[in-house]
Amino acid sequence: MSIHEECGVFGVFSKKKINASDLTYYGLFSLQHRGQESCGIVVNDDGLFVSHKDLGLVTEVMTKDVMQKFPLGKMAVGHCRYGTTGGNDRANCQPIEVNHKKGRLAIAHNGNISNAILIRDKLEEDGAIFHTTSDTETIAYLVTRHRLESSSIEEAILKSVEELEGAFSICFMSPTKLIAVRDPHGFRPLCYGTFENDGEEVYVVSSESCALEAVGAKFVRDIKPGEMVVFSNDGVKSYEDLCGSKEISSCIFENIYFARPDSVIDGLSVHESRYKAGRILAKEFPAQADLVVGVPDSGLDAALGYAHESSIPYGIGLIKNKYIGRTFIAPASDGRSRLVRMKLAPVESAIKGKSIVLIDDSIVRGTTSKEIIDMLRQAGASQIHMRISAPPFLNPCYYGTDIDSRDNLIAVSHTVEGICQIIGADSLGFLPVESLPQLTGAKGICAACFTGQYPTPIHDGNRKDRFDKRLSEKE
Ligand code: AMP
């Protein structure tokens, strides 16, 4: 079961036929930071689904030839996926499509269902056969089963989400409807926007608002936690308080690292939260320095905040190769360190002889920070004061963020001083856990990867290692 999944979802609804595949292509391209492993588009041509999905980036998978084969359609859904451990094969590419007794369904899901293995166990005992290891297939199965005894697809989805625990921001497409659903905790973002085409409103659903801009749509609003919004020829219909009201637990790591800084999640700019984190770091961990340098890209906004608060000038001390993706996963640590050097290079003229405050968004294993500090010292930096715009990672995430196993999290086995020594910094400061709520204002957050306090029950049977073991033990 794919516990480590970070994804982007996108959907289009129009009353008249439009180039829904192109719109989805542009949307997914703007959500590429949410998943680089595979992608897919399903176009709805009057109830006939035409799809293409494969491993690779949007520009690699959706070639000119592929795009030309898509028909015009009133609807489309798309997905980009970043499944990391296991399960990274074609079968797990999304959107998942199912043909059932009452029609067709395509599903694009971002998040992780924390009781998926328990649900799947029950379904399998009832005779269900699964083709993938993805929890999205479990959702698909639940919905199609409920659809048999429901009068509408909405009713089937409402019944299904009652059974789900964990994180889900989903875009469903039936022959006649586009349906966006967000779990009651609101772990992952989901919003919609609109633009006018030929006198009709076209609706666009997206994981992040940055992709709405990309297709020329105006942001309308976030899908609320625990809300289902149905787009159909009858207009836009909202169903609220799905699964009863729950505490809002929006993933703070979206604000710290994952989302694009130009996105606005639940009314709050991602750039602003990172900027605030930088200001907090400057107050909590001041440093005598000549220059504040952010690690591109996710350290830049916090570095600006630190520079503002401390009045130390902000400088461009590191350049990122634009053509490299996110390099979080590499098979061995020497591979990873090479990747860091492929990705980043120091600007010697800016840093030589200077004392530097270096800001990055997180330390996972410590490899990146160590490499960057080595590079900056070789380029002549006199001192390096490392500041991290997140608290130390201590716990796994069951809601869709890829956090390495505890054995690899440097903060699990080392003190801050110990980490500082390993990475070779002159000083080190992490964003205090207590300051996290300040990043998002009044909104409730999930910070379980830092605190270990999970907003939903965690079922031991849902652990990925157990699931993999069970699969390999099967004949
Ligand atoms: P490490 O070298 O293992 O300490 O990893 C730290 C780097 O990984 C930081 O520069 C982060 O920007 C990046 N990072 C942290 N968390 C994630 C994640 N969940 N997915 C991808 N990259 C990440």
Side-chain angles (χ1 to χ4, degrees):
M1 190 71 58
S2 36
I3 275 183
H4 300 283
E5 276 200 22
E6 296 167 338
C7 307
V9 302
F10 195 82
V12 178
F13 177 87
S14 162
K15 283 188 186 167
K16 291 182 184 163
K17 280 198 178 184
I18 50 166
N19 202 334
S21 54
D22 276 10
L23 289 169
T24 309
Y25 175 95
Y26 298 133
L28 291 182
F29 187 69
S30 307
L31 295 174
Q32 187 78 84
H33 61 285
R34 297 187 69 84
Q36 299 97 53
E37 193 178 275
S38 71
C39 63
I41 295 178
V42 184
V43 172
N44 183 341
D45 177 16
D46 286 333
L48 188 75
F49 285 9
V50 180
S51 65
H52 185 79
K53 43 192 171 180
D54 209 340
L55 300 176
L57 298 170
V58 177
T59 48
E60 293 164 351
V61 174
M62 301 299 163
T63 59
K64 211 169 167 190
D65 276 358
V66 166
M67 292 306 294
Q68 276 169 354
K69 286 187 188 129
F70 280 117
L72 296 180
K74 291 179 186 162
M75 280 179 259
V77 277
H79 189 269
C80 54
R81 175 173 184 270
Y82 177 38
T84 54
T85 332
N88 46 352
D89 56 31
R90 278 193 175 74
N92 283 331
C93 296
Q94 290 194 41
I96 284 190
E97 290 166 87
V98 280
N99 290 313
H100 56 94
K101 209 169 167 212
K102 293 191 178 169
R104 290 193 168 86
L105 194 64
I107 306 179
H109 168 220
N110 171 214
N112 188 71
I113 306 301
S114 50
N115 63 342
I117 290 177
L118 304 183
I119 298 176
R120 183 172 164 137
D121 270 351
K122 277 199 213 127
L123 291 168
E124 282 184 326
E125 273 155 27
D126 279 354
I129 296 166
F130 286 87
H131 296 97
T132 74
T133 55
S134 152
D135 53 359
T136 311
E137 197 183 2
T138 307
I139 303 173
Y141 211 101
L142 267 187
V143 175
T144 47
R145 210 188 48 174
H146 282 303
R147 182 69 183 95
L148 294 176
E149 80 264 2
S150 305
S151 59
S152 67
I153 185 69
E154 293 93 306
E155 192 183 318
I157 293 173
L158 288 172
K159 283 180 189 157
S160 305
V161 296
E162 290 283 340
E163 295 180 42
L164 303 177
E165 286 174 10
F168 49 92
S169 280
I170 311 175
C171 211
F172 293 94
M173 183 172 73
S174 80
T176 56
K177 289 166 194 154
L178 186 78
I179 302 176
V181 183
R182 193 167 171 206
D183 70 71
H185 293 279
F187 284 104
R188 303 277 147 219
L190 195 64
C191 62
Y192 78 93
T194 181
F195 67 90
E196 208 191 287
N197 177 60
D198 206 6
E200 291 282 355
E201 290 290 297
V202 177
Y203 292 96
V204 185
V205 174
S206 173
S207 286
E208 284 182 44
S209 60
C210 65
L212 301 181
E213 311 283 338
V215 297
K218 204 163 72 311
F219 175 85
V220 175
R221 64 174 179 86
D222 292 284
I223 308 291
K224 294 179 202 155
E227 185 186 23
M228 173 170 86
V229 179
V230 182
F231 303 88
S232 73
N233 282 341
D234 299 331
V236 182
K237 198 165 169 197
S238 154
Y239 301 72
E240 291 192 30
D241 288 328
L242 269 55
C243 323
S245 74
K246 299 256 163 62
E247 208 180 316
I248 306 239
S249 315
S250 145
C251 167
I252 192 65
F253 201 57
E254 291 274 352
N255 298 70
I256 290 172
Y257 167 81
F258 202 51
R260 237 170 69 166
D262 55 329
S263 285
V264 175
I265 301 178
D266 295 326
L268 208 103
S269 142
V270 173
H271 163 76
E272 283 296 321
S273 11
R274 293 184 190 170
Y275 195 84
K276 258 189 217 164
R279 295 188 69 169
I280 296 169
L281 279 172
K283 284 190 212 146
E284 297 284 336
F285 300 102
Q288 289 282 335
D290 307 309
L291 203 64
V292 180
V293 170
V295 176
D297 291 319
S298 40
L300 298 181
D301 311 68
L304 276 170
Y306 195 102
H308 174 143
E309 188 65 36
S310 64
S311 301
I312 302 171
Y314 171 84
I316 296 180
L318 286 165
I319 293 296
K320 181 177 169 185
N321 183 327
K322 290 190 185 68
Y323 307 97
I324 199 152
R326 291 187 168 183
T327 58
F328 188 52
I329 298 306
S333 71
D334 61 348
R336 185 159 172 71
S337 89
R338 186 179 306 249
L339 273 173
V340 174
R341 286 186 184 251
M342 298 300 292
K343 176 175 162 184
L344 296 167
V347 182
E348 201 178 310
S349 61
I351 54 185
K352 199 169 182 163
K354 303 237 171 80
S355 169
I356 285 170
V357 175
L358 181 66
I359 314 251
D360 201 358
D361 64 282
S362 51
I363 294 185
V364 182
R365 285 163 281 199
T367 332
T368 309
S369 309
K370 186 178 178 327
E371 283 304 321
I372 296 173
I373 289 170
D374 277 357
M375 273 188 323
L376 292 177
R377 290 216 193 273
Q378 281 161 20
S382 60
Q383 287 191 350
I384 297 168
H385 301 281
M386 182 100 207
R387 303 290 179 262
I388 302 294
S389 59
F393 273 126
L394 295 170
N395 307 285
C397 173
Y398 295 96
Y399 310 117
T401 297
D402 169 39
I403 311 269
D404 213 328
S405 88
R406 273 176 66 86
D407 304 340
N408 293 329
L409 296 175
I410 193 169
V412 168
S413 47
H414 296 83
T415 60
V416 174
E417 296 73 47
I419 302 171
C420 184
Q421 255 182 23
I422 292 171
I423 63 174
D426 293 287
S427 71
L428 172 64
F430 286 92
L431 190 79
V433 133
E434 316 75 64
S435 66
L436 286 174
Q438 287 180 48
L439 304 192
T440 58
K443 190 174 78 167
I445 57 166
C446 174
C449 50
F450 308 121
T451 62
Q453 286 157 15
Y454 295 97
T456 68
I458 297 305
H459 308 281
D460 206 32
N462 203 42
R463 283 180 34 199
K464 184 186 177 306
D465 49 349
R466 298 254 176 120
F467 185 69
D468 281 349
K469 185 159 174 282
R470 218 186 60 193
L471 276 187
S472 63
E473 278 166 359
K474 281 184 181 174
E475 285 176 27

